Amino acid sequence: MTILISIAIYLCLIAIVSTVASRRAGNEAFFRGERRSNWMMVAFGMIGASVSGVTFVSVPGMVMTSGMTYLQTCMGFIVGYAVVAMILLPIYFKMNVTTIYTYLDRRMGRRSYKTGAAFFMLSKLTGTAVKFYLFCMLLHRFVVAPLYPTPISFPLTIAVMVICIWLYSRRGGIKTLVVTDVFQTACMLLALLIITYKVAAALDMNVGAALSAINDSPMSRIFILDDWLSPRNFWKQFVSGIFIVIVMTGLDQDMMQKNLTCKSLGEARKDMMTYGLAFVPVNWLFLALGILLTMLAAKEGLPLPAKGDELLPMFAVTGQLGEAVVVLFTIGIMAASLSTADSALTSLTTSCCVDLLECDDDERLRKRVHMAMAAALIVIIILFHLINSQSLIDAVYTLVGYTYGPLLGLFAFALLTRYRPNDRLAPYICMASPIVCFIINYTALSTVGYRFGYELLMLNGLITFTLIYITKLK
């Protein structure tokens, strides 16, 4: 009951913050935040928006199989954010766009524009549904089900959480989220710090002793420079990290929309580089927590879970570290999950109204679209629950990764060449590219045993770029 009360208080605080932030908000505030956002608030809030609830649970468990090698990818993120800040942001600000896919319309043509927006909406809606489904499963399993074990409680949990997001974001949109993200990021980081401190205390360690223990652990290895076949090789992860940011931030309306609410290009650049640099220490803290948790398991004589995703929940939700940690864990994953989902819901509404329906001045239509996107999110998540297939969820997650490749290819052709594309063929090329990429990946795995990692995104983009280049107009 304490956890439910904490969740209710948390949601009430978000509602209060959003109500204050969304006063006198119209379409301009919903879509563009009236271009008045403070860059420091955007930068801090983007940390929470970029860390999903799944990440909050999964990253600590990575140390069980890959140590701290994930930081190699995070180092690539820094370069990726610099590329986006120096190359893409100036284009978006110069064109004064509401959605970034407007650039494709002016440079590539109508069909390329609609295709890019459609791929974004497909990826974002499906990917957000998967992430939020996994969060709702955790919330239901460890919080709701023990108190209300009825068959309908899980769909009800989903509906209540999505409706809460819809309620606090429906009026102010992106203007509201800039403010609520600051609150949610603060809650997430505070929960992470206190949980880490509690775990160290359970190991009878002060801060200095905990840092020494983490540094001495064999799991603290960051760099892999000698094994080129390993998916965790430094250069593979570093370069992949660069392209992950370019595509999944610079070419993603969800991630860019808050940055475009800054007052000027200079402030948007400072915002992006600030939160880009923050990803290394934040993810180091997640991984450090994972190492401390493995030490605590050894001390308590507990076997490590089969899956890394279960490492943090194994301690956080069982009450072994006290009820305060259970509450903090719940608030932490909720803050990360809501911050990700509310941003996605707003960007989906924006892209649908501006890119597909081309009615960015119709406030009544915008409210209907926003409601429709929330309903679609609920339906998709419930479908995942009814099918109840982990393999399907994994397949959908993989599909979401594949759909970002065509966006990379489209923008690469637009930015790196001056040729006119065959706009009529763009939809077919963008649909064919992921299929070709899948065939290559399957063939490499079955013939030589090579498994593509993050570099699959670059291959997908290269295929799209090549096909557009081959079919370009003379």
Side-chain angles (χ1 to χ4, degrees):
M1 186 59 68
T2 304
I3 300 175
L4 286 179
I5 293 173
S6 301
I7 291 173
I9 293 173
Y10 180 81
L11 292 174
C12 287
L13 289 173
I14 292 179
I16 293 171
V17 172
S18 65
T19 300
V20 173
S22 62
R23 287 179 299 181
R24 298 185 296 276
N27 273 13
E28 176 66 16
F30 188 97
F31 294 140
R32 295 157 60 101
E34 299 173 336
R35 287 278 171 91
R36 295 178 181 176
S37 297
N38 180 285
W39 72 267
M40 288 183 284
M41 291 180 63
V42 176
F44 186 73
M46 282 299 295
I47 298 172
S50 302
V51 177
S52 68
V54 178
T55 302
F56 192 95
V57 174
S58 298
V59 173
M62 286 183 177
V63 298
M64 292 170 50
T65 55
S66 57
M68 286 189 164
T69 57
Y70 179 59
L71 292 178
Q72 297 176 129
T73 305
C74 296
M75 293 173 191
F77 289 170
I78 297 173
V79 179
Y81 281 115
V83 172
V84 174
M86 298 302 159
I87 296 177
L88 293 177
L89 273 179
I91 294 173
Y92 301 150
F93 268 85
K94 182 179 180 180
M95 297 178 68
N96 196 30
V97 299
T98 299
T99 79
I100 62 176
Y101 308 111
T102 305
Y103 171 68
L104 292 177
D105 184 23
R106 301 179 189 179
R107 170 63 181 85
M108 301 278 284
R110 202 74 172 161
R111 291 194 177 187
S112 298
Y113 166 46
K114 299 291 185 181
T115 300
F119 264 83
F120 159 73
M121 293 191 66
L122 171 66
S123 300
K124 189 56 60 175
L125 184 59
T126 313
T128 302
V130 172
K131 291 178 182 178
F132 210 66
Y133 168 66
L134 297 174
F135 157 69
C136 288
M137 280 202 309
L138 286 170
L139 184 66
H140 177 74
R141 177 182 173 185
F142 297 115
V143 179
V144 180
L147 297 173
Y148 304 101
T150 65
I152 64 169
S153 60
F154 184 69
L156 186 61
T157 299
I158 295 168
V160 168
M161 294 311 302
V162 175
I163 289 171
C164 285
I165 294 172
W166 172 75
L167 283 171
Y168 74 73
S169 63
R170 66 191 178 92
R171 291 179 60 191
I174 205 69
K175 180 182 179 181
T176 299
L177 299 188
V178 168
V179 180
T180 57
D181 278 357
V182 172
F183 172 73
Q184 299 201 102
T185 299
C187 289
M188 182 199 72
L189 293 178
L190 185 62
L192 176 60
L193 287 168
I194 296 176
I195 291 173
T196 304
Y197 175 80
K198 289 282 188 180
V199 174
L203 289 166
D204 300 319
M205 296 180 182
N206 57 29
V207 175
L211 290 173
S212 296
I214 292 166
N215 185 63
D216 294 338
S217 170
M219 294 182 181
S220 65
R221 182 182 182 185
I222 297 175
F223 300 103
I224 295 180
L225 301 169
D226 51 348
D227 186 359
W228 284 95
L229 293 178
S230 171
R232 293 188 290 274
N233 175 270
F234 171 77
W235 290 108
K236 287 182 182 179
Q237 290 209 313
F238 181 77
V239 175
S240 296
I242 297 173
F243 279 88
I244 286 171
V245 166
I246 292 173
V247 176
M248 303 184 89
T249 297
L251 309 184
D252 186 300
Q253 175 64 21
D254 181 16
M255 291 292 100
M256 291 304 295
Q257 194 162 353
K258 293 189 189 76
N259 295 286
L260 294 176
T261 66
C262 290
K263 300 173 185 177
S264 66
L265 172 60
E267 292 201 355
R269 280 174 164 169
K270 288 189 287 186
D271 138 51
M272 181 162 288
M273 291 307 302
T274 300
Y275 78 79
L277 289 169
F279 274 107
V280 172
V282 168
N283 280 285
W284 181 89
L285 188 58
F286 274 115
L287 295 167
L289 173 59
I291 292 176
L292 292 176
L293 288 170
T294 61
M295 293 178 182
L296 184 59
K299 178 184 176 182
E300 300 291 335
L302 299 173
L304 292 175
K307 296 181 179 179
D309 293 354
E310 299 173 359
L311 179 61
L312 179 55
M314 181 175 76
F315 289 98
V317 301
T318 57
Q320 293 186 48
L321 298 173
E323 190 173 23
V325 170
V326 180
V327 172
L328 287 167
F329 173 74
T330 304
I331 296 299
I333 61 171
M334 177 173 287
S337 297
L338 295 190
S339 185
T340 301
D342 59 23
S343 179
L345 191 60
T346 300
S347 65
L348 284 165
T349 302
T350 302
S351 187
C352 184
C353 290
V354 176
D355 299 324
L356 300 188
L357 302 178
E358 301 183 33
C359 295
D360 58 335
D361 57 347
D362 190 332
E363 189 168 341
R364 180 176 295 181
L365 176 63
R366 184 259 293 170
K367 291 179 179 178
R368 290 176 179 174
V369 171
H370 191 243
M371 185 181 296
M373 290 299 168
L377 196 59
I378 293 173
V379 170
I380 294 174
I381 296 172
I382 291 176
L383 284 175
F384 284 146
H385 172 61
L386 293 176
I387 295 170
N388 195 25
S389 170
Q390 187 62 43
S391 60
L392 174 65
I393 295 170
D394 292 339
V396 171
Y397 233 159
T398 302
L399 175 65
V400 169
Y402 275 105
T403 55
Y404 275 98
L407 282 173
L408 175 59
L410 284 170
F411 273 87
F413 185 89
L415 291 165
L416 301 178
T417 77
R418 295 189 177 183
Y419 296 110
R420 289 177 56 215
N422 191 331
D423 185 53
R424 182 175 56 86
L425 296 178
Y428 307 105
I429 291 174
C430 289
M431 287 187 287
S433 178
I435 297 173
V436 174
C437 200
F438 173 80
I439 293 172
I440 293 173
N441 185 37
Y442 178 81
T443 303
L445 182 61
S446 59
T447 55
V448 298
Y450 182 80
R451 183 185 298 275
F452 280 89
Y454 295 131
E455 67 270 22
L456 196 62
L457 175 64
M458 293 178 282
L459 175 63
N460 200 347
L462 179 62
I463 293 171
T464 304
F465 177 91
T466 303
L467 291 175
I468 294 175
Y469 184 84
I470 292 172
T471 59
K472 68 182 184 298
L473 300 175
K474 296 182 179 179

